[in-house]
Amino acid sequence: MKRSEVPVVQTWDLGLIYKSREEAWQSAERIKELAEKAEQVYRGKLKDAKSIVNCLHLYEQMHELASRVSAFFSLNQETDYNNAENVFNANKAENLITDCLTKTSFIESEILEAETNVIEEAVRQGGSVACYLKKLLRKKPHILHPEAEKVLAGLGSFMSTPYNVYNQAKLADMRFDDFTVNGKTYPLGYALFEDSYEYEQDTAVRRAAFRCFSDKIRQYENVTASAYNAYVCRDKRMADLRGFDSVFDYLLFDENVTRDLYDRQIDVIMEKLAPHMRKYAALLQRVHGLDTMTYADLKLSVDPGYDPKVTMEEAEQYIAGGLAVMGDDYVAMIHQAFRERWIDYATNDGKSTGGFCETPYGVPAAFILLSWQSRMSDMVTLAHELGHAGHFRECNAAQGYFDTLVPMYYVEAPSTINELLLAGYLERQNSAPRFRRWVLGNMIGNTYYHNFVTHLLEAAYQREVYRIVDKGGSVQAETLSAIYRDVLKQFWGESVELTDGAELTWMRQPHYYMGLYSYTYSAGLTIATEVSGQILKEGERAAENWKKALRAGSTVTPVEFARMAGVDITTDRALLDTIETIGSMIDEMCTLTEEIGF
Ligand SMILES: [Zn+2]
């Protein structure tokens, strides 16, 4: 389908941000005015606490508007990369914002030149910008000369070129040919493969789709590798420029996460989760009667014959039921999301793949993108994205703009907790063995597979790549494929045959262009598993506690956030607990399979 053919009901209403494009451009003009005002009034004058605080409030206002303008134009682009006007406008808005950030880059540099006691006084007077100032003080040793900072800010928009190249290659240039199995022709596309064929029950079709998909993306392996190499080398260069000991320290700095926490997440899961997942692969092989278990078969669900379709209306009811424990206000938000068209669920040509949620600051709505195929897994994705919406609704209302820039480490916790609560709710609806196995299968096959396996393997791969660039090396398509294959081999051992094309998984996720995002999925899910256990046991009291932690936004570190929610992540206990939970779910699925007999 072309974007223009999509029914309005399946699209999101960006009118909730701005009524018209004109209104959005007016807002963009206002950002420019604020940037000019900041420059005229405060440049060279940020020497006392009062000026610093007043200037930062102006800067805060500028960022709030930028968040809305950028969302308005970029979200429009995400739904149709084929529309040249959308792409033009998104670029224009991005450039305008970059200009304003360049103009105001003196603010941070000048504040950092002020005496420490002046900054500390500003922290005391700061109100909504106090936390921002505290973080700035922490950054002080890594800030460059003001002119150097200006140059870097000016180059800001080019910094995202690798990601843009990746997206253009993947979403605009790549054209997939149809493929044929037993005389029948099937269409192929990026989203179609990832959202549909990977789950296809017909083994011949599923494997043929995998082969054709891999052959096509392989034609783009060099351009993709070169974009990716530019991206990781950029990180390394920035780490050196800013005086970090390693690229890892640089990437983990803003998150306030130690190297230990990062390494532990990857090492423990690679070792301790692998045996459980191999057992899961064997179970899939058995129930599907496959001679060999290949990489192209891993996304199969345990009982696809039992996989009921779900309509958008049913999804709303299920999700509202599953999340009722989060309180009336939370349920009201869910209904509002459907009623006010926060969700873009059409499947059209040129639309971004996967799912995400964006909640611009100061807008009483969130924007959720997904490709709806009426599967239970789509409903789970939707509950997931609504978790992000619920998180930012809480912290946007409670905190100033700067304190809503939540660390990646726990940004996925509120979303995955919703998946678990929904699964718990579904389990209580029906105690028949087949239904129970199907719910567990959804949890393992979607929630845990995606967050603990897919993203974890990416994280393990990514760590190897950054180790290479940290030593001054660079990476090419061949290296990347070899690293990926090794990681897969280490995790799956002999239980899964690594079909040709498996090694190209490094080309598939946008997450590789978002720092160390990948590893945080399992970190967030570790917190989510522990907290959802508490909520299912204690009900509303635990839910209120959780919402309180969400409201803290980025005023706390990941360790403090987890503690507020009642979880200690300074040791490996929570992680081992979560892995045990996953293991016991897989064991139960095996037992239920014995009972069911197929
Ligand atoms: Zn998410």
Side-chain angles (χ1 to χ4, degrees):
M1 231 193 300
K2 284 202 181 65
R3 182 68 184 174
S4 56
E5 296 161 358
V6 169
V8 174
V9 63
Q10 298 182 15
T11 65
W12 53 28
D13 180 10
L14 296 182
L16 293 164
I17 310 178
Y18 291 113
K19 295 221 161 35
S20 64
R21 210 176 279 172
E22 288 68 40
E23 208 189 321
W25 285 127
Q26 274 164 20
S27 212
E29 282 307 309
R30 178 78 188 128
I31 300 173
K32 256 165 92 179
E33 284 164 27
L34 287 169
E36 275 153 22
K37 184 173 168 198
E39 209 182 13
Q40 280 158 15
V41 179
Y42 294 107
R43 190 189 259 284
K45 302 207 178 65
L46 294 177
K47 299 190 190 329
D48 62 283
K50 195 161 173 284
S51 307
I52 290 175
V53 171
N54 287 343
C55 177
L56 278 181
H57 282 306
L58 202 148
Y59 192 49
E60 187 183 31
Q61 214 186 331
M62 197 182 110
H63 274 280
E64 285 174 20
L65 285 174
S67 142
R68 298 201 273 275
V69 170
S70 163
F72 183 81
F73 290 108
S74 70
L75 291 175
N76 216 358
Q77 171 178 255
E78 294 282 3
T79 57
D80 190 5
Y81 273 89
N82 291 335
N83 183 320
E85 199 186 351
N86 285 355
V87 177
F88 175 83
N89 280 322
N91 283 334
K92 188 174 154 189
E94 221 40 64
N95 285 336
L96 184 146
I97 290 167
T98 302
D99 273 350
C100 296
L101 293 179
T102 312
K103 264 207 187 82
T104 48
S105 71
F106 74 90
I107 296 175
E108 278 202 11
S109 326
E110 274 194 33
I111 294 174
L112 287 165
E113 277 174 61
E115 300 289 339
T116 301
N117 63 346
V118 170
I119 305 179
E120 282 164 356
E121 175 54 30
V123 169
R124 278 188 288 277
Q125 298 179 14
S128 63
V129 297
C131 231
Y132 175 85
L133 279 163
K134 269 193 247 171
K135 286 177 187 163
L136 215 50
L137 261 179
R138 192 174 156 255
K139 269 203 247 173
K140 202 165 172 165
H142 301 289
I143 298 293
L144 307 177
H145 185 275
E147 285 302 316
E149 287 296 338
K150 191 178 167 188
V151 171
L152 287 177
L155 293 173
S157 63
F158 302 110
M159 295 294 188
S160 53
T161 301
Y163 183 48
N164 292 340
V165 171
Y166 165 77
N167 265 332
Q168 289 295 338
K170 173 176 161 179
L171 303 170
D173 283 349
M174 240 177 241
R175 292 265 175 259
F176 290 86
D177 303 319
D178 296 348
F179 64 98
T180 309
V181 177
N182 296 329
K184 196 173 166 209
T185 303
Y186 298 84
L188 188 60
Y190 216 110
L192 198 54
F193 172 74
E194 291 195 332
D195 298 335
S196 198
Y197 289 119
E198 280 201 289
Y199 305 88
E200 170 62 50
Q201 283 181 67
D202 184 321
T203 298
V205 173
R206 184 176 66 250
R207 290 181 181 172
F210 183 86
R211 199 164 44 246
C212 295
F213 175 81
S214 301
D215 289 347
K216 177 51 75 177
I217 65 172
R218 187 177 283 110
Q219 291 170 1
Y220 293 80
E221 65 177 349
N222 293 311
V223 68
T224 310
S226 128
Y228 183 57
N229 182 55
Y231 178 83
V232 292
C233 289
R234 180 206 82 178
D235 281 343
K236 171 59 179 163
R237 191 68 62 205
M238 292 301 284
D240 288 347
L241 280 171
R242 296 201 177 281
F244 286 92
D245 291 339
S246 79
V247 70
F248 295 101
D249 294 321
Y250 165 71
L251 292 167
L252 293 169
F253 182 81
D254 282 339
E255 296 279 300
N256 221 333
V257 166
T258 62
R259 182 78 190 268
D260 279 356
L261 238 64
Y262 166 73
D263 281 330
R264 189 180 66 213
Q265 202 68 21
I266 298 174
D267 294 333
V268 171
I269 302 179
M270 280 304 273
E271 187 198 328
K272 302 265 197 255
L273 182 67
H276 296 300
M277 292 313 296
R278 291 177 193 182
K279 201 167 175 186
Y280 174 69
L283 175 69
L284 284 180
Q285 182 177 359
R286 179 192 154 181
V287 296
H288 288 279
L290 301 171
D291 292 344
T292 48
M293 184 68 192
T294 79
Y295 189 72
D297 306 320
L298 282 167
K299 291 282 178 77
L300 279 170
S301 57
V302 164
D303 195 353
Y306 196 71
D307 204 7
K309 293 280 179 196
V310 65
T311 66
M312 215 45 183
E313 291 71 28
E314 287 162 347
E316 179 176 358
Q317 296 316 317
Y318 277 128
I319 294 172
L323 301 179
V325 64
M326 293 289 283
D328 293 343
D329 57 329
Y330 203 94
V331 174
M333 181 203 73
I334 291 162
H335 292 304
Q336 190 185 2
F338 283 86
R339 195 174 58 241
E340 294 182 359
R341 282 174 45 220
W342 294 6
I343 308 155
D344 199 288
Y345 61 96
T347 308
N348 62 265
D349 201 30
K351 180 169 162 174
S352 190
T353 63
F356 67 75
C357 172
E358 188 162 339
T359 315
Y361 192 87
V363 176
F367 299 90
I368 294 171
L369 178 138
L370 46 96
S371 299
W372 183 258
Q373 309 280 344
S374 307
R375 287 169 206 265
M376 272 303 186
S377 59
D378 297 324
M379 180 170 84
V380 174
T381 307
L382 184 49
H384 173 111
E385 301 305 340
L386 283 164
H388 289 305
H391 184 188
F392 287 100
R393 188 182 66 130
E394 295 288 345
C395 73
N396 284 2
Q399 308 292 345
Y401 172 81
F402 294 123
D403 294 335
T404 62
L405 307 172
V406 174
M408 290 188 279
Y409 195 89
Y410 57 86
V411 80
E412 290 301 333
S415 47
T416 39
I417 218 168
N418 279 10
E419 298 186 30
L420 299 175
L421 292 174
L422 178 62
Y425 171 76
L426 291 173
E427 262 179 345
R428 292 194 299 277
Q429 306 299 301
N430 187 338
S431 62
R434 200 170 172 195
F435 182 79
R436 194 170 166 77
R437 181 179 68 171
W438 171 77
V439 172
L440 288 167
N442 266 311
M443 258 196 285
I444 298 297
N446 297 315
T447 306
Y448 285 105
Y449 194 94
H450 185 69
N451 297 286
F452 259 79
V453 180
T454 306
H455 287 313
L456 183 270
L457 297 177
E458 286 163 22
Y461 146 85
Q462 206 183 23
R463 184 168 66 174
E464 294 313 308
V465 172
Y466 277 117
R467 276 177 178 159
I468 293 175
V469 300
D470 209 34
K471 288 193 202 116
S474 64
V475 286
Q476 295 73 38
E478 214 175 302
T479 337
L480 296 171
S481 292
I483 296 173
Y484 217 101
R485 183 169 278 279
D486 280 351
V487 168
L488 289 173
K489 189 91 216 149
Q490 195 192 329
F491 189 79
W492 292 111
E494 297 304 316
S495 64
V496 174
E497 184 192 313
L498 299 178
T499 333
D500 247 6
E503 74 285 1
L504 297 175
T505 311
W506 64 266
M507 294 179 66
R508 291 175 50 185
Q509 286 281 352
H511 298 80
Y512 304 132
Y513 298 84
M514 300 171 189
L516 300 179
Y517 195 12
S518 300
Y519 93 96
T520 64
Y521 277 80
S522 62
L525 188 51
T526 304
I527 298 175
T529 304
E530 300 290 290
V531 175
S532 77
Q534 292 169 13
I535 293 178
L536 289 172
K537 207 167 2 163
E538 298 170 30
E540 214 149 308
R541 207 187 58 82
E544 284 308 318
N545 222 10
W546 176 237
K547 282 193 277 186
K548 204 164 113 198
L550 296 184
R551 278 194 283 278
S554 55
T555 59
V556 290
T557 66
V559 170
E560 289 165 348
F561 172 82
R563 195 175 296 136
M564 280 178 87
V567 184
D568 179 11
I569 55 166
T570 58
T571 71
D572 60 7
R573 203 195 59 84
L575 180 55
L576 290 171
D577 243 26
T578 300
I579 292 173
E580 275 318 300
T581 306
I582 300 172
S584 63
M585 285 182 189
I586 293 169
D587 288 345
E588 192 181 346
M589 280 164 72
C590 292
T591 314
L592 288 165
T593 301
E594 296 295 337
E595 206 175 312
I596 297 161
F598 60 88

